[in-house]
Amino acid sequence: MMIIKILGSGCKKCVALGENAKAAAEAAGKQVEIVKVTDFADIAAYGVMSTPALVVDEKLLSAGKVLSADEIGHLL
């Protein structure tokens, strides 16, 4: 199972990124667990200075923008 982490405070952009990640995973037929990381120390540990950020299986793929489901699908 793939683990997707959404790093951010829980703002509207963070929620949108999480929804897009879920849609991309479903479209790709992948089983995923989506984890929301809101603790700023944990976020900083990934080297992220701008949220929202997307982490898949502990690999930082995006920071500071909301990727579309299509863009995330190409990264998965």
Side-chain angles (χ1 to χ4, degrees), residues 17-42:
L17 182 61
E19 290 171 355
N20 291 348
K22 183 177 180 181
E26 287 174 358
K30 298 190 180 283
Q31 286 216 334
V32 298
E33 177 183 349
I34 296 187
V35 178
K36 295 179 181 173
V37 178
T38 57
D39 183 273
F40 287 108
D42 292 340

Side-chain angles (χ1 to χ4, degrees), residues 20-74:
N20 291 348
K22 183 177 180 181
E26 287 174 358
K30 298 190 180 283
Q31 286 216 334
V32 298
E33 177 183 349
I34 296 187
V35 178
K36 295 179 181 173
V37 178
T38 57
D39 183 273
F40 287 108
D42 292 340
I43 293 169
Y46 286 97
V48 171
M49 302 308 281
S50 180
T51 61
L54 177 71
V55 174
V56 177
D57 289 336
E58 294 304 312
K59 182 178 177 188
L60 179 65
L61 298 182
S62 170
K65 59 184 174 181
V66 178
L67 297 176
S68 70
D70 285 341
E71 290 172 316
I72 296 169
H74 291 296

Side-chain angles (χ1 to χ4, degrees), residues 3-30:
I3 297 178
I4 296 177
K5 294 182 180 179
I6 306 298
L7 312 182
S9 63
C11 65
K12 198 182 298 185
K13 289 181 180 180
C14 300
V15 171
L17 182 61
E19 290 171 355
N20 291 348
K22 183 177 180 181
E26 287 174 358
K30 298 190 180 283

